[in-house]
Amino acid sequence: HDHETRSGDPLWTAEAYEKAQHCLFRKGPASMGIGNYIITVTEEGRPVQALFMMDTHGRETYRDGNKETKGYGQVMGEQIAWYRWAVEGLAAEAGHTVPSTVFAHVPAPQFAEAFEAAWDYDACPRPGRCKELEGHYRIDGAFGLFHDSGVASAPVDLGFFDEMVSLGSTTRYVCGHDHTNSYSVPFKGIDLTYALHTGPGCYGEK
């Protein structure tokens, strides 16, 4: 959703990226947003790792009957079907499920659930005020700090995380969006990982 405060035109931004000499960005299928594409890492011509780049869109209006809820976007219906098609296609080509990583801007709703299950509140009751760089976790493989005001994901869950778990390909979901969160928590077989914001617009503890 960062085009809201940058160029104001995501298509213009995407085309500028595609013209850059060494940039691997692709606009992807036009019906699913902008920036849905796959980088396939191969070894001797066979796929060994897939990197899924997924558009989590901007602000969305979610409808449930007569009820409307507004909030951040997420990976949605046609994208989920495209993801399944790609995972199954790579598996057919390789003869086995190909491991993958998903990169998206907005965190999946499960980021908050995973953190709550993993954080040791007895050791540090207020995660946002915790000064120790290693954090305090109750499960192996979790690390990092929760320094933002929360997890700013979509207000409803459209099922992408469950699809990732079901297909058994994706081992990590990497997001940004919440500038000062920088934790990684294993949850149902997938590492949910924040990439800390850097560069212009940084804030938080130096």
Side-chain angles (χ1 to χ4, degrees), residues 15-90:
E15 290 176 347
Y17 282 143
E18 286 192 324
K19 291 174 184 175
Q21 183 179 357
H22 300 295
C23 186
L24 298 179
F25 176 91
R26 293 293 178 265
K27 292 194 290 291
S31 61
M32 302 192 313
I34 293 178
N36 297 287
Y37 62 100
I38 308 164
I39 298 172
T40 306
V41 181
T42 62
E43 186 175 274
E44 297 180 352
R46 299 181 68 83
V48 294
Q49 176 76 215
L51 309 178
F52 284 89
M53 310 297 164
M54 307 291 280
D55 181 6
T56 44
H57 312 283
R59 304 278 181 168
E60 298 290 331
T61 299
Y62 300 94
R63 292 181 175 85
D64 182 10
N66 294 325
K67 181 182 177 182
E68 287 190 356
T69 305
K70 297 182 183 295
Y72 285 114
Q74 60 185 297
V75 176
M76 299 182 175
E78 188 176 345
Q79 292 172 285
I80 298 173
W82 173 79
Y83 166 83
R84 173 179 281 275
W85 167 81
V87 167
E88 291 178 343
L90 286 166

